[in-house]
Amino acid sequence: MQLYDTLTRGKQKLPPVPGPIRMYTCGPTVYQRIHIGNARPFVISMWLRRWLAERGYDVNLVENITDVNDKIYNAAPGHSAELAAQASQWYVEDTERLGLGRPDHEPKATETIPEIVSLIEELVRGEHAYEAGGDVYFRVSRFPDYGRLSGQRPEQLEDDDPSPLKEDPRDFALWKATKEGEDTSWDSPWGRGRPGWHIECSAMAEKFLGPSFEIHLGGLDLVFPHHENERAQSQAAGREFARLWMHNGMLEFVGEKMSKSLGNVASLHDVIERWGPETVLVFFLTGHWSKPIDFSDKTLAAAAARVERFREVFRGQSEPAAEGEWERFEAALEDDFNTPDALAVMHGWRDHELLRRALDIFGLASLAEKHDAPSEIVELARQRQEARTARDFDEADRLRAEIEAAGWEARDVADGFQLVPR
Ligand SMILES: [Zn+2]
């Protein structure tokens, strides 16, 4: 299997089965319900995790939760900790509804403070970082490879967080001294404070995956400065860190003005409420993970129509797929995890077993399991049940045969019957 890697700007092969494949995904900063765009790295990571497991790999996926940050302080002055706890819960609830399961580990920054502090201490000892007024900054000039991931030349970089305490405007904070109005802080060798954003991920990745791991994933908006800085910190401290960098494309609101109505449905929670989890997942399948994807009523309606086409297949009779169909599906995913191509292959299938297996990788097995049989079949099943109640077993058997001929199986369950596609 091969995947596009931002660092080498080309496709890189994964190690052979069973790996291991250790993956780290940058999760959300929690201060409100997550936006539909923030769901994309979660969805791609979980799909990739499920696919690699299907292929026989030993996978370990870590996706963090950033629960201490300027955004959270600003969103809830004086009670950021309560907001972060609440928003973490929303994040878990909302992503849970996608039916993809959970990453193997979901560490929170605030639960990783000792590891963060000790990594910063190591960088200070190696002169890769320095203390200034209770803050600690990474010394960019000591890391010659800086800028390689994002393709930026160090001398061109702009300072996004100016401070008179920095030796060099390119330097960035690893630790920040507590400011007035901040309700959370921790002890450190440099006084009370809290970690910078980038160092959290370096520490959390290492805690659960070790000093080197196969795949680092996150949104394209994180390449610079977040991932450039993660890489600089960990490598300056002597760790190999990530071997392959996957950056997913952003959600774009093309073709529709950012109208109020669209703005109102832009949280994952609201999009699921409106369209259902299956449509949200199929919508993400239609775009290649590395490319931007258009979010609009039109693209969501098109995804809903695809969902219906899959359901329709399971209402009909199963037809065995031709030889080599699974291999075609596999080939699409093996070459840079091309879900739109895999989706196109799946739409050609009438083979229930094969389609159910493929849908399950993307958390869509429910499309095969839902029993919305046509009303005439439901009516036959109801008549069959009446016949059974009246102990007219000949009639019940005749109706069963008729239901089966239409591609359904009537199962007797405690409170009546269940119709399952055959
Ligand atoms: Zn990160």
Side-chain angles (χ1 to χ4, degrees):
M1 171 145 188
Q2 53 178 5
L3 291 164
Y4 183 82
D5 168 35
T6 307
L7 186 67
T8 54
R9 278 124 182 110
K11 290 178 190 174
Q12 294 296 333
K13 275 202 168 63
L14 290 188
V17 176
I21 304 292
R22 293 158 293 189
M23 294 172 63
Y24 184 87
T25 300
C26 288
T29 297
V30 283
Y31 58 101
Q32 59 186 22
R33 287 214 181 250
I34 66 160
H35 185 270
I36 178 73
N38 296 133
R40 200 177 189 196
F42 176 89
V43 168
I44 294 164
S45 306
M46 289 307 298
W47 282 344
L48 192 56
R49 197 209 177 291
R50 292 163 76 96
W51 173 245
L52 293 171
E54 155 87 22
R55 295 272 288 98
Y57 278 107
D58 170 17
V59 195
N60 188 2
L61 170 63
V62 179
E63 181 159 351
N64 77 297
I65 294 175
T66 295
D67 61 344
V68 52
N69 196 300
D70 279 329
K71 280 183 188 164
I72 310 171
Y73 287 132
N74 294 338
H79 52 273
S80 75
E82 289 100 300
L83 176 65
Q86 172 65 72
S88 301
Q89 216 175 322
W90 285 334
Y91 163 68
V92 172
E93 275 168 29
D94 295 348
T95 47
E96 192 75 31
R97 287 179 70 189
L98 294 167
L100 292 167
R102 306 295 323 160
D104 300 278
H105 303 280
E106 296 181 275
K108 291 179 176 168
T110 58
E111 293 165 357
T112 322
I113 303 292
E115 290 85 353
I116 294 169
V117 168
S118 92
L119 183 55
I120 299 173
E121 282 185 290
E122 225 182 298
L123 288 165
V124 171
R125 270 200 307 275
E127 295 180 9
H128 286 286
Y130 55 94
E131 190 267 344
D135 292 352
V136 180
Y137 293 95
F138 184 83
R139 190 175 270 132
V140 169
S141 63
R142 283 262 292 150
F143 186 70
D145 210 28
Y146 194 77
R148 186 162 145 225
L149 179 68
S150 56
Q152 308 206 36
R153 273 185 278 157
E155 64 274 17
Q156 292 175 331
L157 298 176
E158 277 180 38
D159 189 358
D160 65 343
D161 182 23
S163 162
L165 299 172
K166 292 183 186 179
E167 287 176 359
D168 179 329
R170 299 170 302 168
D171 294 351
F172 56 87
L174 303 175
W175 187 261
K176 294 183 179 187
T178 302
K179 290 192 201 69
E180 213 184 303
E182 294 179 355
D183 59 310
T184 49
S185 64
W186 292 265
D187 278 326
S188 82
W190 319 284
R192 296 288 289 180
R194 43 108 179 181
W197 174 33
H198 319 301
I199 196 76
E200 295 170 7
C201 285
S202 285
M204 285 187 272
E206 183 169 340
K207 181 175 180 180
F208 293 95
L209 301 176
S212 55
F213 54 96
E214 283 67 33
I215 302 174
H216 193 313
L217 202 147
L220 196 59
D221 55 339
L222 297 184
V223 180
F224 189 84
H226 187 50
H227 289 169
E228 192 71 64
N229 293 355
E230 281 184 20
R231 180 172 178 268
Q233 295 156 169
S234 290
Q235 293 206 335
R239 278 68 157 172
E240 183 189 7
F241 206 56
R243 292 179 182 157
L244 191 157
W245 293 82
M246 286 174 80
H247 287 106
N248 67 268
M250 299 287 101
L251 226 73
E252 290 184 355
F253 294 82
V254 178
E256 307 225 359
K257 297 212 171 73
M258 273 290 272
S259 66
K260 259 210 179 112
S261 64
L262 200 59
N264 288 341
V265 297
S267 76
L268 173 62
H269 174 267
D270 291 351
V271 177
I272 292 177
E273 284 290 306
R274 184 169 168 205
W275 295 95
E278 292 95 346
T279 295
V280 174
L281 291 174
V282 170
F283 161 71
F284 281 124
L285 275 181
T286 61
H288 188 278
W289 62 269
S290 67
K291 305 262 164 36
I293 185 168
D294 290 353
F295 179 88
S296 69
D297 279 356
K298 217 172 120 185
T299 54
L300 267 291
R306 286 176 183 272
V307 165
E308 199 44 39
R309 275 168 69 191
F310 283 129
R311 286 211 173 102
E312 197 55 41
V313 171
F314 290 99
R315 287 189 195 115
Q317 205 120 27
S318 179
E319 295 167 25
E323 193 85 5
E325 279 295 304
W326 183 263
E327 288 69 24
R328 280 179 65 212
F329 169 77
E330 196 170 80
L333 296 179
E334 294 288 288
D335 185 10
D336 205 19
F337 206 59
N338 193 324
T339 60
D341 280 5
L343 186 64
V345 173
M346 288 159 70
H347 272 308
W349 293 351
R350 298 289 173 273
D351 186 319
H352 290 183
E353 199 193 318
L354 210 61
L355 187 54
R356 189 181 288 117
R357 187 177 159 202
L359 287 169
D360 188 38
I361 288 157
F362 304 115
L364 290 163
S366 60
L367 299 185
E369 285 154 17
K370 280 197 179 147
H371 312 134
D372 20 359
S375 55
E376 61 270 28
I377 304 296
V378 175
E379 176 59 18
L380 289 176
R382 202 189 55 72
Q383 287 174 19
R384 176 180 164 270
Q385 205 180 24
E386 277 183 3
R388 279 176 61 86
T389 310
R391 305 188 68 78
D392 186 353
F393 296 115
D394 286 348
E395 175 67 357
D397 283 347
R398 192 191 64 76
L399 287 161
R400 170 189 289 276
E402 200 175 330
I403 292 164
E404 287 183 356
W408 291 84
E409 187 193 336
R411 289 183 191 159
D412 300 304
V413 292
D415 54 349
F417 60 85
Q418 192 183 34
L419 282 162
V420 185
R422 294 186 73 211

